[in-house]
């Protein structure tokens, strides 16, 4: 078991450099994540957003070494400990102990033949030298922590005996059983009703404050991002296209894709639009990516350079990075984007 070295709030807990994930297939390599670089400080929440297939979940699994068939390269350092290429023994010690993970579908992640108490206790005993009785006591404590009524009794129940929201709470309890420094939540509110979503998010905020952990929140729900996150990383076709604080990103999105995402939802901080602006077209195939900027076939702001040269992620202002050839151009009046060159996404924003 590895010693836990809790980082101070101003310190970097997680450092990712050049993370690349590719899946070999008969059609060619699937470029799931390309040259991903970011930092996460202690006690902060980073939201990772984007359409399905943008590389969000592939990134999460790469951070904890759960890819088995993928080719993973780059650096992932947790408080200085390199995880990419680390032996399985080291990764098993990190998973659960220092990094907890909430998977997308709790019903699939929980084993139907074992009680929830037994499953939490097993996860706890994997990292703690304790008896089964002590582990079950810890399981009851965790169910009580995530506000499941009658926790001491319900540890003997099976996953199908809980509602979807309760199962999500059980997954949170299991992920936090060993007091990890980092929690990765992959779509933690998928398939939950609005009321239950709010309860789960409130629970995560309270637990973060109580336990002092960092969170990586993977979601496509921008409302959750605005409510939960400190910083946002927008991904498209496996790459980061924009990265900023929540206030900067929501106030002035500087990548056409980000503007398209924000334009497709109703915002309470802006006048209600007559119609929502949809992003035209479809995400590209990760086996056969278009040349240049991967977003250019759907972009109303593309120029000739976009079709043959992939833009690098560059700082626009302090703490606000953008991957767009036109990021430095003057902004169109009343918007955070330049003049459109095509009819399409964002042209009327």
């Amino acid at each position: 078991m590895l010693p836990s070295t809790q980082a101070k709030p101003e310190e970097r807990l997680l450092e990712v450099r050049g993370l690349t994930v590719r899946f070999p297939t008969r059609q060619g390599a699937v470029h799931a994540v390309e040259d991903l670089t970011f930092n996460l400080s202690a006690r902060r929440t980073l939201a990772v957003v984007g359409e399905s297939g943008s590389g969000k979940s592939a990134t999460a699994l790469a951070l904890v070494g759960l890819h088995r068939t993928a080719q993973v390269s780059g650096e992932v350092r947790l408080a200085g400990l390199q995880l990419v290429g680390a032996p399985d023994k080291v990764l098993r010690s990190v998973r659960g102990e220092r990094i907890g993970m909430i998977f997308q579908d709790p019903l699939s992640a929980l084993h139907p033949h074992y009680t929830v108490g037994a499953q939490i206790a097993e996860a706890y005993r994997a990292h703690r030298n304790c008896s089964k009785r002590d582990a079950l006591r810890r399981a009851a404590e965790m169910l009580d922590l995530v506000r499941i009524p009658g926790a001491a009794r319900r540890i003997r129940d099976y996953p199908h005996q809980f509602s979807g929201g309760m199962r999500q709470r059980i997954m949170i309890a299991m992920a936090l059983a060993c007091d990890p420094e980092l929690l990765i939540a992959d779509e933690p509110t998928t398939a939950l009703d609005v009321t239950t979503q709010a309860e789960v998010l409130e629970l995560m905020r309270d637990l973060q404050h109580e336990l002092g952990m960092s969170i990586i929140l993977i979601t496509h729900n921008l409302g959750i991002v605005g409510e939960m996150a400190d910083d946002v990383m927008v991904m498209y076709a496996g790459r980061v296209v924009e990265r900023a604080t929540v206030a900067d990103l929501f106030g002035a999105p500087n990548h056409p894709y980000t503007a398209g995402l924000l334009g497709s939802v109703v915002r309470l901080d802006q006048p209600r639009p007559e119609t929502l602006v949809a992003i035209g077209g479809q995400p590209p195939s990760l086996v056969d990516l278009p040349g240049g900027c991967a977003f250019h076939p759907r972009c109303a702001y593309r120029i000739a350079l976009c079709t043959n040269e992939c833009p690098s992620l560059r700082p626009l202002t302090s703490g606000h990075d953008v991957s767009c050839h036109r990021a430095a151009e003057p902004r169109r009046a009343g918007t955070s984007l330049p003049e459109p060159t095509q009819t399409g996404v964002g042209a009327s924003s």
Side-chain angles (χ1 to χ4, degrees), residues 252-287:
N254 278 272
H255 194 284
Y257 178 63
T258 308
L261 291 178
L262 291 170
S264 65
V265 297
V266 176
R267 295 179 56 179
L268 298 179
D269 61 340
Q270 294 184 357
R272 185 182 180 91
E274 294 185 4
T275 59
L276 296 178
V277 180
I279 301 176
Q282 297 293 326
S285 166
L286 297 180
V287 176

Side-chain angles (χ1 to χ4, degrees), residues 127-275:
H127 300 282
R128 297 288 188 272
N129 183 18
C130 66
S131 66
K132 184 177 180 180
R133 176 178 296 182
D134 289 340
L136 287 172
R137 186 180 300 115
R138 176 63 172 176
E141 291 175 357
M142 294 308 300
L143 290 189
D144 184 62
L145 181 67
V146 297
R147 304 170 191 169
I148 292 183
R153 171 178 51 83
R154 300 224 65 184
I155 62 172
R156 296 188 291 271
D157 290 342
Y158 292 86
H160 71 272
Q161 295 176 274
F162 293 85
S163 66
M166 289 294 184
R167 285 194 292 267
Q168 195 63 278
R169 290 170 183 261
I170 292 167
M171 288 300 302
I172 295 173
M174 187 180 299
L176 300 182
C178 294
D179 299 328
E181 302 158 64
L182 171 63
L183 176 67
I184 301 175
D186 190 357
E187 301 282 5
T189 58
T190 297
L192 300 180
D193 61 76
V194 176
T195 301
T196 306
Q197 282 187 24
E199 292 174 351
V200 170
L201 293 176
E202 181 184 8
L203 173 63
M204 290 177 61
R205 281 197 305 269
D206 291 347
L207 292 175
Q208 180 181 32
H209 179 75
E210 182 177 342
L211 302 175
M213 62 187 174
S214 302
I215 295 178
I216 294 179
L217 177 64
I218 296 171
T219 183
H220 62 273
N221 189 325
L222 293 174
I224 292 175
V225 173
E227 187 175 353
M228 284 284 297
D230 299 302
D231 308 290
V232 191
M233 187 166 69
V234 182
M235 295 188 69
Y236 185 79
R239 291 183 178 272
V240 177
V241 295
E242 189 161 6
R243 182 174 56 212
T245 64
V246 168
D248 285 349
L249 191 94
F250 277 58
N254 278 272
H255 194 284
Y257 178 63
T258 308
L261 291 178
L262 291 170
S264 65
V265 297
V266 176
R267 295 179 56 179
L268 298 179
D269 61 340
Q270 294 184 357
R272 185 182 180 91
E274 294 185 4
T275 59

Side-chain angles (χ1 to χ4, degrees), residues 2 64 68 87-97 126-127:
L2 295 173
V64 290
R68 288 292 175 261
D88 286 343
K89 182 179 180 180
V90 172
L91 293 174
R92 285 195 299 268
S93 298
V94 170
R95 290 193 292 260
E97 170 76 7
H127 300 282

Side-chain angles (χ1 to χ4, degrees), residues 17-35:
R17 297 285 180 271
L19 180 64
T20 298
V21 180
R22 296 179 180 175
F23 295 91
T25 69
R26 293 180 179 179
Q27 290 73 36
V30 175
H31 299 254
V33 181
E34 285 291 319
D35 196 26

